[in-house]
């Protein structure tokens, strides 16, 4: 999420010459025109599936591509059952050609599953974020990994702005008072603040981070950002944000920290006890990036001590989150299931983007360059 997804000479080649030859065998086979077995893994919408015609990203409506695929002679299997050796997905691993998943109900594609998937050629994410896939294993096996870049960036940025306001104004306790028949203004007001004049820092300023900063500008905040790439001066001036190259220098200045970075081996558990301790006491954190970027227990302890004054996000590790996940029971949290990027508007966009890539795959054509996460054995730089 941090920047434009481009494959450059600096990108790291993740496979050897022997695995590269495996790539070309799979890739050339993809354009042969024969029937393909495509498996989609989505969440079930149950009674909600029929309540909105644009509810495409669920098992029942299957991205709206079933009739199109089957009319061309392809097999399309859709399930929500994705965990364990006896799950429905596991039954189809050995002979599927394409696996489609979403960040909201991810099918975890491990090296072991890739090894079993002898016919697998293409891994598609209907949405943004492909960290549920072992990208090193995918690259070494010669697989193509792609996602619908940009499909839900507006949805996520708007959701982040909402969460900042929810935490800043101490909204959740007020809502709970109404539901519980209570009325205690003081119990809400003592932790409620204006957003104007506060310092907001985003860790990552790719598509989503930039949109968030643009939406925050009218609130009169002090806007900071940390990213591996600095914006062009004209854009920085337009947004009114200041670049901080050293993350350790930015964090202590922020009243609110927003995470807008991909999950990689480098960022996994990055915000641990030591990193959280560098922030202002009472800092508000919004994380719609990935749950595993945070050290789970460090967040719990910081919330209990007041080092973190409020935490909100829609990402968990794992997903779906188990009932005993400790973030469910933290004080001053405003957590939800993974919903920020799956609005009806976003679903229309990522369903259309998935269909477009499948059409190109059947024809042996390239995808839009920014959609590739793994191509020709090379992993996109933001995931390295």
């Amino acid at each position: 999420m941090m920047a434009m997804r481009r494959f450059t000479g600096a990108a790291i080649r993740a496979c050897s010459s022997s695995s590269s030859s495996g790539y070309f065998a799979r890739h050339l086979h993809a354009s042969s025109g024969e029937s393909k077995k495509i498996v989609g893994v989505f969440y079930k919408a149950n009674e909600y599936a029929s309540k909105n015609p644009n509810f495409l990203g669920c098992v029942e409506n299957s991205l709206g591509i079933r009739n199109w695929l089957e009319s061309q002679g392809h097999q399309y299997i859709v399930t929500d059952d994705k965990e364990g050796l006896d799950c429905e997905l596991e039954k189809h691993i050995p002979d599927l050609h394409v696996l489609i998943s979403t960040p909201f109900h991810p099918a975890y594609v491990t090296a072991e599953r890739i090894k079993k998937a002898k016919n697998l050629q293409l891994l598609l994410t209907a949405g943004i974020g492909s960290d549920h896939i072992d990208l090193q294993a995918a690259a070494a096996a010669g697989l193509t990994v792609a996602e619908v870049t940009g499909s839900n960036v507006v949805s996520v940025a708007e959701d982040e702005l909402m969460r900042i306001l929810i935490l800043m104004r101490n909204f959740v306790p007020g809502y709970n008072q109404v539901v519980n028949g209570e009325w205690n203004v003081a119990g809400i007001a003592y932790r409620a603040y204006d957003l104007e004049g506060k310092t907001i820092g985003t860790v990552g300023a790719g598509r989503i981070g930039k949109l968030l900063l643009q939406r925050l500008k009218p609130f009169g905040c002090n806007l900071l950002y940390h990213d591996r790439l600095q914006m062009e001066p004209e854009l920085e001036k337009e947004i009114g944000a200041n670049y901080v190259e050293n993350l350790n220098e930015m964090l202590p200045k922020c009243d609110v920290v927003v995470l807008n970075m991909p999950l990689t081996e480098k960022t996994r558990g990055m915000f641990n006890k030591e990193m959280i301790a560098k922030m202002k006491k009472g800092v508000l954190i919004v994380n719609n990036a990935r749950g595993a970027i945070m050290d789970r227990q460090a967040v719990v302890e910081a919330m209990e001590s007041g080092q973190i004054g409020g935490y909100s996000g829609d990402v968990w590790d794992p997903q779906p989150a188990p009932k005993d996940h400790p973030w469910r029971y933290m004080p001053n949290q405003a957590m939800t299931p993974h919903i920020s990027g799956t609005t009806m508007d976003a679903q229309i966009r990522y369903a259309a983007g998935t269909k477009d890539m499948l059409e190109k795959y059947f024809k042996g054509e390239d995808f839009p360059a920014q959609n590739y996460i793994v191509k020709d054995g090379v992993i996109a730089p933001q995931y390295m």
Side-chain angles (χ1 to χ4, degrees):
M1 295 181 186
M2 289 180 71
M4 282 288 291
R5 286 162 174 155
R6 294 187 295 264
F7 290 83
T8 68
I12 298 175
R13 194 161 286 275
C15 57
S16 65
S17 58
S18 61
S19 59
S20 294
S21 63
Y23 164 78
F24 288 113
R26 292 192 185 203
H27 179 70
L28 292 173
H29 184 63
S31 60
S32 64
E34 67 184 51
S35 175
K36 302 296 181 184
K37 181 174 183 178
I38 298 149
V39 175
V41 177
F42 313 112
Y43 55 79
K44 280 186 177 178
N46 300 310
E47 70 272 20
Y48 302 104
S50 61
K51 292 183 179 294
N52 191 317
N54 295 324
F55 203 153
L56 300 173
C58 58
V59 166
E60 293 84 352
N61 296 326
S62 309
L63 298 181
I65 58 176
R66 179 177 295 282
N67 291 341
W68 170 68
L69 286 172
E70 293 179 348
S71 70
Q72 298 189 52
H74 302 297
Q75 185 180 6
Y76 189 32
I77 307 295
V78 176
T79 183
D80 73 322
D81 185 17
K82 62 190 181 72
E83 304 293 342
L85 294 176
D86 297 325
C87 72
E88 184 66 20
L89 171 60
E90 200 71 23
K91 298 174 186 176
H92 301 286
I93 290 291
D95 64 344
L96 59 78
H97 297 94
V98 180
L99 177 60
I100 307 170
S101 185
T102 75
F104 320 106
H105 189 75
Y108 292 104
V109 183
T110 62
E112 183 178 0
R113 277 181 164 169
I114 289 172
K115 188 176 180 180
K116 292 179 183 177
K118 302 300 183 183
N119 293 338
L120 181 59
Q121 298 160 350
L122 176 62
L123 292 161
L124 290 178
T125 299
I128 302 172
S130 297
D131 49 88
H132 55 284
I133 299 166
D134 186 327
L135 298 179
Q136 292 284 351
L143 302 178
T144 297
V145 181
E147 57 189 45
V148 191
T149 297
S151 59
N152 54 15
V153 292
V154 169
S155 313
V156 177
E158 288 183 357
D159 186 272
E160 289 177 342
L161 176 57
M162 174 190 73
R163 291 176 191 275
I164 292 170
L165 288 166
I166 282 173
L167 292 177
M168 189 66 69
R169 302 308 292 264
N170 204 23
F171 176 85
V172 173
Y175 171 79
N176 288 337
Q177 280 191 23
V178 172
V179 172
N180 296 329
E182 301 169 357
W183 190 278
N184 181 1
V185 173
I188 306 163
Y190 85 106
R191 289 174 49 85
Y193 297 89
D194 295 342
L195 185 55
E196 184 178 25
K198 302 301 186 294
T199 297
I200 317 295
T202 175
V203 185
R207 290 178 173 84
I208 295 171
K210 287 187 180 75
L211 287 173
L212 174 65
L213 291 170
Q214 289 170 338
R215 282 154 176 73
L216 283 167
K217 183 178 180 181
F219 286 87
C221 304
N222 177 30
L223 301 177
L224 306 176
Y225 74 97
H226 169 79
D227 195 280
R228 62 190 179 88
L229 299 173
Q230 186 172 0
M231 298 180 202
E232 293 296 324
E234 297 79 9
L235 182 58
E236 259 190 3
K237 184 177 180 181
E238 176 189 329
I239 294 175
N242 294 305
Y243 178 64
V244 184
E245 184 174 5
N246 189 328
L247 179 60
N248 293 329
E249 292 179 6
M250 186 182 83
L251 293 179
K253 301 175 182 178
C254 295
D255 301 296
V256 180
V257 173
V258 185
L259 302 188
N260 279 307
M261 58 206 298
L263 176 63
T264 67
E265 287 309 307
K266 183 178 179 180
T267 63
R268 185 179 296 275
M270 177 177 172
F271 283 83
N272 54 22
K273 184 176 181 179
E274 291 72 27
M275 187 71 83
I276 292 170
K278 295 176 182 178
M279 302 182 191
K280 280 186 180 181
K281 186 172 180 62
V283 66
L284 305 179
I285 298 177
V286 172
N287 179 14
N288 280 359
R290 287 295 180 264
I293 292 172
M294 308 296 297
D295 180 313
R296 180 193 298 188
Q297 190 57 33
V299 172
V300 173
E301 293 173 2
M303 290 284 280
E304 291 174 346
S305 71
Q307 175 62 22
I308 299 177
Y311 186 92
S312 183
D314 69 336
V315 286
W316 307 71
D317 183 33
Q319 291 188 176
K323 290 183 179 180
D324 62 352
H325 196 296
W327 289 1
R328 292 179 181 268
Y329 309 105
M330 298 187 298
N332 305 315
Q333 57 91 358
M335 295 295 294
T336 67
H338 196 166
I339 58 169
S340 63
T342 189
T343 62
M344 294 298 99
D345 305 280
Q347 290 192 31
I348 292 170
R349 292 189 291 267
Y350 64 67
T354 301
K355 182 180 179 182
D356 177 70
M357 286 192 287
L358 285 171
E359 284 183 308
K360 287 178 166 56
Y361 163 72
F362 296 142
K363 296 175 182 177
E365 299 174 356
D366 282 342
F367 303 156
Q370 69 270 19
N371 287 9
Y372 284 109
I373 303 303
V374 177
K375 182 186 181 186
D376 296 352
V378 180
I379 300 174
Q382 77 271 19
Y383 277 98
M384 296 306 298

